[in-house]
């Protein structure tokens, strides 16, 4: 298939673009490099630099594309609280421009990077796709609005859309020829930040809250290896059905506490990684774990890599990227 990958110069888009190329697809990346890197676009893909608003129609029109994989977004929760307008414009506005460009160019399939942040504070765990969506920050709200727009474009314009609601993505793609991983300039994710201590870039890791109602008192989150996540995109692409919008959670279905993650990082790196207790951060739920039953039963997806593999691959990538 000929595929447009928005945000393919970023962490996840770069990994999935590489997997799509290896599966025999033709890939064009559209990215404005606001948080991505031109050298993260995998060899074999063509990079078009620009925003979705500026360039999506020019790229799609007459290009004979079969589908779009839409990763491009701003995704820093704290920044979204400071600058909600930027997030609504950049995430929802640019996504609507993309959807309209797809319609005009006659491209009717899209796989979208949605997020666990659409659910907000969960009422029960593990989180099901049918659970209430009450995002607690503008980032999650913009992603939920894009899910809603996809449902409307499916119903009213016949687009086939799949929203994959990712939980915490980690790890790297290291298959010899392809080396793709996480290189965020502003890093908010736990595993790369813990590994920065082992790399000597930080003194210690901050643990926000040790008095949660969890077995060791620290927050519990669901982690998914980026390579397993990519495999789900290939399945989702095949599952796009004109006129239908589908939502699937994408996590392991297992939770790990902050302390457990730090312990695995210590084992993998052999570094003591000092941890420093801090008060809870406002708005951090105690437990966020996905039910991945729907994607397992309907698309036959199964995660194959455990937390140790995520940490080991992220560690290998971080050392190579230095
Ligand atoms: N990393 C995670 O754990 C996680 C979890 C849930 C959801 N997600 C979602 O997955 C997607 C990818 O996340 P990531 O961690 O790879 O982020 P990233 O910042 O590494 O990648 C995003 C890419 O999109 C590009 N981009 C942003 N806005 C653009 C625009 N308007 N036009 C063109 N290009 C634009 C950036 O330059 C960057 O290359 C995002 O949509 C994010 O919300 C990520």
């Amino acid at each position: 298939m000929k595929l447009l990958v928005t945000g393919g110069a970023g962490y996840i888009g770069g990994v999935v673009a590489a997997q799509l190329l290896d599966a025999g697809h033709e890939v064009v990346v559209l990215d404005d490099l606001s948080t991505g890197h031109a050298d993260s676009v995998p060899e074999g893909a063509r990079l078009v630099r620009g925003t979705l608003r500026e360039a999506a129609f020019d790229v799609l029109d007459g290009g004979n594309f079969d589908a779009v994989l839409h990763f491009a977004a701003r995704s820093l929760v704290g920044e979204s609280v400071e600058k909600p307008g930027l997030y609504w414009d950049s995430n929802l506005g640019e996504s609507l421009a993309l959807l309209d460009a797809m319609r005009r160019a006659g491209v009717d399939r899209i796989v979208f990077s949605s997020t666990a942040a659409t659910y907000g504070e969960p009422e029960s765990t593990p989180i099901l796709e049918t659970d209430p969506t009450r995002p607690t920050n503008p980032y999650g709200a913009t992603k939920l609005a894009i899910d809603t727009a996809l449902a409307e474009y499916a119903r009213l314009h016949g687009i086939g859309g799949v929203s994959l609601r990712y939980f915490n993505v980690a790890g790297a793609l290291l298959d010899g020829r392809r080396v793709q991983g996480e290189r965020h300039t502003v890093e908010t994710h736990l595993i790369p930040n813990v590994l920065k201590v082992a790399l000597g870039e930080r003194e210690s890791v901050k643990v926000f809250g040790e008095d949660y109602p969890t077995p060791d008192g620290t927050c519990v989150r669901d982690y998914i290896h980026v390579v397993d996540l990519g495999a789900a995109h290939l399945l989702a692409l095949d599952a796009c059905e004109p006129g239908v919008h589908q939502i699937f959670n994408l996590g392991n279905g297992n939770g790990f506490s902050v302390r457990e993650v730090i312990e695995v990082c210590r084992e993998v790196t052999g570094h003591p990684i000092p941890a420093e207790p801090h008060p809870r951060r406002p708005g951090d739920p105690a437990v966020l774990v996905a039910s991945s039953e729907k994607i397992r039963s309907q698309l036959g997806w199964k995660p194959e890599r455990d937390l140790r593999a995520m940490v080991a691959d992220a560690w290998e990538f971080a050392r190579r990227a230095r």
Side-chain angles (χ1 to χ4, degrees), residues 73 126 155 209 257:
R155 192 167 62 87
S257 74

Side-chain angles (χ1 to χ4, degrees), residues 6-14 30-37 50-53 70-75 89-91 94-95 112-117 139 143 164-170 182-184 189 229:
T6 77
Y11 166 42
I12 301 171
L30 173 56
D31 199 300
D32 66 359
L33 304 184
S34 50
T35 57
H37 312 272
T51 64
L52 310 179
R53 208 176 260 132
H70 179 28
F71 299 93
R74 292 184 180 261
S75 54
D89 182 52
S90 195
N91 288 354
E94 297 266 346
S95 296
F112 169 59
S113 305
S114 188
T115 166
Y139 165 63
K143 289 284 183 168
L164 297 174
R165 290 193 172 151
Y166 312 165
F167 281 61
N168 296 270
V169 187
E182 195 161 12
R183 286 198 285 150
H184 292 127
H189 297 136
L229 181 110

